[in-house]
Short mmCIF file of all heavy atoms in Angstrom, two decimals:
data_model
loop_
_atom_site.label_atom_id
_atom_site.label_comp_id
_atom_site.label_asym_id
_atom_site.label_seq_id
_atom_site.Cartn_x
_atom_site.Cartn_y
_atom_site.Cartn_z
N ASP T 272 30.73 -106.80 -67.05
CA ASP T 272 29.99 -105.69 -66.47
C ASP T 272 28.92 -106.20 -65.50
O ASP T 272 28.74 -105.63 -64.41
CB ASP T 272 29.37 -104.84 -67.58
CG ASP T 272 28.79 -103.55 -67.06
OD1 ASP T 272 29.47 -102.86 -66.26
OD2 ASP T 272 27.65 -103.20 -67.45
N SER T 273 28.27 -107.26 -65.86
CA SER T 273 27.25 -107.85 -64.99
C SER T 273 27.88 -108.40 -63.71
O SER T 273 27.33 -108.21 -62.61
CB SER T 273 26.52 -108.97 -65.74
OG SER T 273 25.61 -109.61 -64.89
N ARG T 274 29.02 -109.05 -63.82
CA ARG T 274 29.70 -109.58 -62.64
C ARG T 274 30.16 -108.46 -61.72
O ARG T 274 30.06 -108.56 -60.49
CB ARG T 274 30.90 -110.43 -63.06
CG ARG T 274 30.51 -111.77 -63.65
CD ARG T 274 31.69 -112.61 -64.06
NE ARG T 274 32.56 -112.87 -62.92
CZ ARG T 274 33.84 -113.21 -63.04
NH1 ARG T 274 34.39 -113.33 -64.23
NH2 ARG T 274 34.57 -113.44 -61.96
N ILE T 275 30.65 -107.37 -62.30
CA ILE T 275 31.08 -106.21 -61.50
C ILE T 275 29.88 -105.60 -60.78
O ILE T 275 29.95 -105.29 -59.59
CB ILE T 275 31.80 -105.18 -62.38
CG1 ILE T 275 33.14 -105.75 -62.86
CG2 ILE T 275 31.99 -103.86 -61.64
CD1 ILE T 275 33.79 -104.96 -63.98
N THR T 276 28.78 -105.45 -61.49
CA THR T 276 27.57 -104.89 -60.89
C THR T 276 27.09 -105.76 -59.74
O THR T 276 26.73 -105.25 -58.67
CB THR T 276 26.46 -104.75 -61.95
OG1 THR T 276 26.94 -103.88 -62.99
CG2 THR T 276 25.19 -104.18 -61.36
N ASP T 277 27.09 -107.07 -59.92
CA ASP T 277 26.69 -107.97 -58.85
C ASP T 277 27.61 -107.85 -57.64
O ASP T 277 27.16 -107.85 -56.49
CB ASP T 277 26.68 -109.43 -59.34
CG ASP T 277 25.52 -109.73 -60.26
OD1 ASP T 277 24.56 -108.94 -60.30
OD2 ASP T 277 25.59 -110.77 -60.95
N ALA T 278 28.92 -107.76 -57.89
CA ALA T 278 29.88 -107.64 -56.80
C ALA T 278 29.69 -106.34 -56.02
O ALA T 278 29.79 -106.32 -54.79
CB ALA T 278 31.31 -107.75 -57.33
N VAL T 279 29.44 -105.25 -56.72
CA VAL T 279 29.20 -103.96 -56.07
C VAL T 279 27.93 -104.04 -55.21
O VAL T 279 27.93 -103.61 -54.06
CB VAL T 279 29.08 -102.80 -57.10
CG1 VAL T 279 28.53 -101.54 -56.46
CG2 VAL T 279 30.40 -102.53 -57.75
N ASN T 280 26.88 -104.61 -55.78
CA ASN T 280 25.63 -104.71 -55.04
C ASN T 280 25.77 -105.61 -53.82
O ASN T 280 25.24 -105.30 -52.74
CB ASN T 280 24.51 -105.23 -55.95
CG ASN T 280 24.10 -104.21 -56.99
OD1 ASN T 280 24.29 -103.01 -56.81
ND2 ASN T 280 23.57 -104.68 -58.09
N GLU T 281 26.52 -106.71 -53.95
CA GLU T 281 26.76 -107.59 -52.81
C GLU T 281 27.52 -106.86 -51.71
O GLU T 281 27.15 -106.93 -50.53
CB GLU T 281 27.54 -108.83 -53.24
CG GLU T 281 27.88 -109.74 -52.09
CD GLU T 281 28.73 -110.93 -52.48
OE1 GLU T 281 29.43 -110.86 -53.51
OE2 GLU T 281 28.71 -111.92 -51.74
N ALA T 282 28.57 -106.16 -52.08
CA ALA T 282 29.38 -105.44 -51.09
C ALA T 282 28.55 -104.36 -50.40
O ALA T 282 28.62 -104.21 -49.17
CB ALA T 282 30.62 -104.85 -51.74
N LYS T 283 27.76 -103.60 -51.15
CA LYS T 283 26.91 -102.56 -50.55
C LYS T 283 25.93 -103.16 -49.55
O LYS T 283 25.76 -102.66 -48.44
CB LYS T 283 26.11 -101.82 -51.63
CG LYS T 283 26.87 -100.80 -52.40
CD LYS T 283 25.95 -100.14 -53.42
CE LYS T 283 26.73 -99.23 -54.34
NZ LYS T 283 25.86 -98.67 -55.40
N ASP T 284 25.28 -104.23 -49.97
CA ASP T 284 24.29 -104.89 -49.12
C ASP T 284 24.94 -105.42 -47.84
O ASP T 284 24.43 -105.21 -46.74
CB ASP T 284 23.64 -106.03 -49.91
CG ASP T 284 22.37 -106.54 -49.28
OD1 ASP T 284 21.44 -105.74 -49.09
OD2 ASP T 284 22.30 -107.76 -48.99
N ASN T 285 26.08 -106.08 -47.99
CA ASN T 285 26.75 -106.66 -46.83
C ASN T 285 27.26 -105.59 -45.87
O ASN T 285 27.16 -105.74 -44.65
CB ASN T 285 27.88 -107.58 -47.27
CG ASN T 285 27.36 -108.83 -47.95
OD1 ASN T 285 26.17 -109.13 -47.91
ND2 ASN T 285 28.24 -109.57 -48.58
N VAL T 286 27.80 -104.51 -46.40
CA VAL T 286 28.26 -103.41 -45.54
C VAL T 286 27.08 -102.83 -44.77
O VAL T 286 27.18 -102.59 -43.56
CB VAL T 286 29.00 -102.32 -46.36
CG1 VAL T 286 29.17 -101.04 -45.56
CG2 VAL T 286 30.35 -102.84 -46.83
N LYS T 287 25.97 -102.63 -45.45
CA LYS T 287 24.79 -102.08 -44.78
C LYS T 287 24.36 -102.95 -43.60
O LYS T 287 24.14 -102.46 -42.48
CB LYS T 287 23.65 -101.96 -45.80
CG LYS T 287 22.32 -101.53 -45.20
CD LYS T 287 21.24 -101.38 -46.24
CE LYS T 287 20.82 -102.72 -46.77
NZ LYS T 287 19.64 -102.66 -47.65
N TYR T 288 24.27 -104.24 -43.82
CA TYR T 288 23.82 -105.13 -42.76
C TYR T 288 24.86 -105.31 -41.66
O TYR T 288 24.52 -105.39 -40.48
CB TYR T 288 23.38 -106.48 -43.33
CG TYR T 288 22.07 -106.38 -44.05
CD1 TYR T 288 21.98 -106.58 -45.41
CD2 TYR T 288 20.90 -106.05 -43.36
CE1 TYR T 288 20.77 -106.48 -46.08
CE2 TYR T 288 19.69 -105.94 -44.02
CZ TYR T 288 19.64 -106.15 -45.38
OH TYR T 288 18.44 -106.02 -46.02
N LEU T 289 26.11 -105.38 -42.04
CA LEU T 289 27.16 -105.54 -41.02
C LEU T 289 27.30 -104.29 -40.16
O LEU T 289 27.62 -104.38 -38.98
CB LEU T 289 28.48 -105.93 -41.67
CG LEU T 289 28.50 -107.35 -42.25
CD1 LEU T 289 29.74 -107.56 -43.09
CD2 LEU T 289 28.40 -108.38 -41.14
N TYR T 290 27.05 -103.11 -40.74
CA TYR T 290 27.03 -101.89 -39.92
C TYR T 290 25.93 -101.96 -38.87
O TYR T 290 26.09 -101.44 -37.76
CB TYR T 290 26.82 -100.64 -40.79
CG TYR T 290 28.08 -99.89 -41.11
CD1 TYR T 290 28.41 -99.60 -42.42
CD2 TYR T 290 28.94 -99.44 -40.11
CE1 TYR T 290 29.58 -98.91 -42.73
CE2 TYR T 290 30.10 -98.75 -40.40
CZ TYR T 290 30.40 -98.48 -41.72
OH TYR T 290 31.55 -97.81 -42.01
N SER T 291 24.83 -102.60 -39.21
CA SER T 291 23.73 -102.69 -38.24
C SER T 291 24.10 -103.55 -37.04
O SER T 291 23.48 -103.44 -35.98
CB SER T 291 22.46 -103.23 -38.91
OG SER T 291 22.58 -104.61 -39.18
N LEU T 292 25.11 -104.39 -37.18
CA LEU T 292 25.57 -105.23 -36.06
C LEU T 292 26.52 -104.50 -35.12
O LEU T 292 26.76 -104.97 -34.01
CB LEU T 292 26.30 -106.47 -36.59
CG LEU T 292 25.51 -107.49 -37.37
CD1 LEU T 292 26.43 -108.62 -37.81
CD2 LEU T 292 24.37 -108.04 -36.53
N GLU T 293 27.06 -103.38 -35.58
CA GLU T 293 28.13 -102.71 -34.84
C GLU T 293 27.75 -102.41 -33.39
O GLU T 293 28.53 -102.65 -32.47
CB GLU T 293 28.53 -101.43 -35.56
CG GLU T 293 29.86 -100.89 -35.16
CD GLU T 293 30.33 -99.79 -36.08
OE1 GLU T 293 29.49 -99.04 -36.61
OE2 GLU T 293 31.54 -99.68 -36.25
N LYS T 294 26.55 -101.93 -33.16
CA LYS T 294 26.15 -101.58 -31.79
C LYS T 294 26.05 -102.82 -30.90
O LYS T 294 26.17 -102.73 -29.69
CB LYS T 294 24.83 -100.83 -31.78
CG LYS T 294 23.64 -101.60 -32.29
CD LYS T 294 22.40 -100.73 -32.32
CE LYS T 294 21.26 -101.47 -32.98
NZ LYS T 294 20.12 -100.62 -33.23
N TYR T 295 25.85 -104.00 -31.53
CA TYR T 295 25.75 -105.23 -30.75
C TYR T 295 27.11 -105.86 -30.46
O TYR T 295 27.30 -106.45 -29.41
CB TYR T 295 24.86 -106.25 -31.47
CG TYR T 295 23.45 -105.78 -31.64
CD1 TYR T 295 22.98 -105.39 -32.88
CD2 TYR T 295 22.58 -105.71 -30.56
CE1 TYR T 295 21.67 -104.95 -33.05
CE2 TYR T 295 21.27 -105.26 -30.71
CZ TYR T 295 20.83 -104.88 -31.97
OH TYR T 295 19.55 -104.45 -32.12
N TYR T 296 28.04 -105.76 -31.41
CA TYR T 296 29.34 -106.38 -31.16
C TYR T 296 30.33 -105.43 -30.50
O TYR T 296 31.37 -105.86 -30.02
CB TYR T 296 29.94 -107.05 -32.40
CG TYR T 296 30.38 -106.17 -33.53
CD1 TYR T 296 31.46 -105.31 -33.41
CD2 TYR T 296 29.74 -106.23 -34.75
CE1 TYR T 296 31.88 -104.53 -34.47
CE2 TYR T 296 30.16 -105.45 -35.81
CZ TYR T 296 31.23 -104.61 -35.67
OH TYR T 296 31.64 -103.84 -36.71
N HIS T 297 30.01 -104.15 -30.42
CA HIS T 297 30.89 -103.19 -29.76
C HIS T 297 31.21 -103.61 -28.32
O HIS T 297 32.38 -103.56 -27.91
CB HIS T 297 30.28 -101.79 -29.82
CG HIS T 297 31.17 -100.71 -29.33
ND1 HIS T 297 32.27 -100.30 -30.03
CD2 HIS T 297 31.13 -99.98 -28.19
CE1 HIS T 297 32.88 -99.34 -29.34
NE2 HIS T 297 32.20 -99.13 -28.23
N PRO T 298 30.22 -104.06 -27.53
CA PRO T 298 30.54 -104.50 -26.16
C PRO T 298 31.50 -105.70 -26.10
O PRO T 298 32.20 -105.88 -25.11
CB PRO T 298 29.17 -104.90 -25.58
CG PRO T 298 28.19 -104.13 -26.38
CD PRO T 298 28.78 -104.01 -27.75
N LEU T 299 31.55 -106.50 -27.16
CA LEU T 299 32.47 -107.64 -27.17
C LEU T 299 33.92 -107.18 -27.16
O LEU T 299 34.80 -107.89 -26.66
CB LEU T 299 32.22 -108.53 -28.39
CG LEU T 299 30.83 -109.14 -28.52
CD1 LEU T 299 30.75 -109.99 -29.80
CD2 LEU T 299 30.48 -109.97 -27.31
N TYR T 300 34.16 -106.01 -27.70
CA TYR T 300 35.51 -105.47 -27.75
C TYR T 300 35.85 -104.62 -26.53
O TYR T 300 37.02 -104.47 -26.20
CB TYR T 300 35.69 -104.59 -29.00
CG TYR T 300 35.75 -105.37 -30.29
CD1 TYR T 300 34.63 -105.50 -31.09
CD2 TYR T 300 36.93 -105.97 -30.71
CE1 TYR T 300 34.69 -106.20 -32.28
CE2 TYR T 300 36.99 -106.67 -31.89
CZ TYR T 300 35.87 -106.79 -32.67
OH TYR T 300 35.93 -107.50 -33.84
N ASN T 301 34.84 -104.04 -25.90
CA ASN T 301 35.10 -103.02 -24.88
C ASN T 301 34.56 -103.35 -23.49
O ASN T 301 34.56 -102.48 -22.63
CB ASN T 301 34.51 -101.69 -25.33
CG ASN T 301 35.10 -101.22 -26.62
OD1 ASN T 301 36.31 -101.30 -26.81
ND2 ASN T 301 34.27 -100.77 -27.54
N SER T 302 34.09 -104.56 -23.26
CA SER T 302 33.49 -104.89 -21.96
C SER T 302 34.20 -106.09 -21.33
O SER T 302 34.90 -106.83 -21.99
CB SER T 302 32.01 -105.24 -22.14
OG SER T 302 31.31 -104.16 -22.70
N ASP T 303 33.92 -106.25 -20.07
CA ASP T 303 34.41 -107.44 -19.38
C ASP T 303 33.50 -108.61 -19.75
O ASP T 303 32.38 -108.41 -20.24
CB ASP T 303 34.43 -107.20 -17.87
CG ASP T 303 33.04 -106.91 -17.33
OD1 ASP T 303 32.62 -105.73 -17.41
OD2 ASP T 303 32.39 -107.86 -16.86
N PRO T 304 33.94 -109.84 -19.55
CA PRO T 304 33.14 -111.01 -19.95
C PRO T 304 31.72 -111.04 -19.38
O PRO T 304 30.79 -111.47 -20.06
CB PRO T 304 33.97 -112.20 -19.45
CG PRO T 304 35.37 -111.70 -19.46
CD PRO T 304 35.27 -110.24 -19.08
N VAL T 305 31.54 -110.58 -18.17
CA VAL T 305 30.20 -110.59 -17.57
C VAL T 305 29.28 -109.62 -18.31
O VAL T 305 28.13 -109.94 -18.62
CB VAL T 305 30.27 -110.24 -16.06
CG1 VAL T 305 28.89 -110.12 -15.47
CG2 VAL T 305 31.10 -111.29 -15.32
N SER T 306 29.78 -108.45 -18.67
CA SER T 306 28.98 -107.46 -19.39
C SER T 306 28.70 -107.90 -20.82
O SER T 306 27.68 -107.52 -21.41
CB SER T 306 29.68 -106.11 -19.40
OG SER T 306 29.89 -105.65 -18.09
N MET T 307 29.61 -108.66 -21.39
CA MET T 307 29.43 -109.14 -22.76
C MET T 307 28.19 -110.01 -22.90
O MET T 307 27.52 -109.99 -23.93
CB MET T 307 30.63 -109.98 -23.22
CG MET T 307 31.85 -109.21 -23.53
SD MET T 307 33.10 -110.39 -24.04
CE MET T 307 34.56 -109.42 -23.75
N VAL T 308 27.89 -110.75 -21.87
CA VAL T 308 26.76 -111.69 -21.92
C VAL T 308 25.46 -110.96 -22.26
O VAL T 308 24.62 -111.48 -22.99
CB VAL T 308 26.65 -112.47 -20.59
CG1 VAL T 308 25.40 -113.32 -20.54
CG2 VAL T 308 27.88 -113.32 -20.38
N ASP T 309 25.30 -109.75 -21.76
CA ASP T 309 24.08 -108.99 -22.02
C ASP T 309 23.94 -108.61 -23.50
O ASP T 309 22.81 -108.45 -23.99
CB ASP T 309 24.06 -107.71 -21.18
CG ASP T 309 23.98 -108.00 -19.68
OD1 ASP T 309 23.51 -109.10 -19.31
OD2 ASP T 309 24.39 -107.13 -18.88
N ALA T 310 25.04 -108.50 -24.22
CA ALA T 310 24.99 -108.11 -25.63
C ALA T 310 24.70 -109.28 -26.56
O ALA T 310 24.25 -109.08 -27.69
CB ALA T 310 26.31 -107.46 -26.03
N ILE T 311 24.92 -110.50 -26.11
CA ILE T 311 24.82 -111.68 -26.98
C ILE T 311 23.42 -111.90 -27.56
O ILE T 311 23.28 -112.12 -28.76
CB ILE T 311 25.33 -112.95 -26.24
CG1 ILE T 311 26.79 -112.79 -25.83
CG2 ILE T 311 25.11 -114.19 -27.08
CD1 ILE T 311 27.76 -112.66 -26.97
N PRO T 312 22.35 -111.84 -26.77
CA PRO T 312 21.01 -112.08 -27.36
C PRO T 312 20.67 -111.09 -28.49
O PRO T 312 20.14 -111.49 -29.53
CB PRO T 312 20.05 -111.93 -26.18
CG PRO T 312 20.87 -112.23 -24.98
CD PRO T 312 22.25 -111.71 -25.30
N GLY T 313 20.98 -109.83 -28.29
CA GLY T 313 20.71 -108.84 -29.33
C GLY T 313 21.53 -109.10 -30.58
O GLY T 313 21.03 -108.96 -31.71
N LEU T 314 22.77 -109.48 -30.39
CA LEU T 314 23.65 -109.78 -31.52
C LEU T 314 23.14 -110.98 -32.30
O LEU T 314 23.06 -110.95 -33.54
CB LEU T 314 25.08 -110.03 -31.02
CG LEU T 314 26.12 -110.37 -32.07
CD1 LEU T 314 26.25 -109.25 -33.10
CD2 LEU T 314 27.47 -110.62 -31.41
N ILE T 315 22.74 -112.02 -31.60
CA ILE T 315 22.23 -113.22 -32.28
C ILE T 315 20.94 -112.90 -33.02
O ILE T 315 20.74 -113.35 -34.16
CB ILE T 315 22.05 -114.37 -31.27
CG1 ILE T 315 23.44 -114.85 -30.83
CG2 ILE T 315 21.24 -115.51 -31.87
CD1 ILE T 315 23.43 -115.87 -29.73
N ASN T 316 20.07 -112.13 -32.42
CA ASN T 316 18.82 -111.74 -33.11
C ASN T 316 19.11 -110.90 -34.35
O ASN T 316 18.46 -111.05 -35.38
CB ASN T 316 17.88 -111.00 -32.16
CG ASN T 316 17.20 -111.94 -31.20
OD1 ASN T 316 17.00 -113.11 -31.48
ND2 ASN T 316 16.85 -111.42 -30.03
N ALA T 317 20.09 -110.01 -34.26
CA ALA T 317 20.44 -109.18 -35.41
C ALA T 317 21.03 -110.03 -36.54
O ALA T 317 20.73 -109.81 -37.72
CB ALA T 317 21.43 -108.09 -34.99
#
């Protein structure tokens, strides 16, 4: 039960933080290489 609780908490925490990166990595999927460069500093800081 303790291991399951830890796993749930880890997954919740990681999903929360990885969602916060979405706005920064979105340009990596949808932009040309020159436009991607502008998104990199924000992504690294996040």
Side-chain angles (χ1 to χ4, degrees):
D272 190 46
S273 175
R274 287 180 59 201
I275 292 167
T276 301
D277 287 344
V279 167
N280 290 336
E281 177 184 23
K283 281 181 188 175
D284 195 58
N285 291 348
V286 166
K287 174 178 71 172
Y288 287 114
L289 290 169
Y290 261 126
S291 73
L292 294 179
E293 198 169 32
K294 64 183 174 189
Y295 297 107
Y296 68 68
H297 187 71
L299 300 179
Y300 289 98
N301 300 316
S302 300
D303 61 277
V305 174
S306 300
M307 286 180 201
V308 173
D309 295 337
I311 300 296
L314 179 60
I315 290 174
N316 284 333

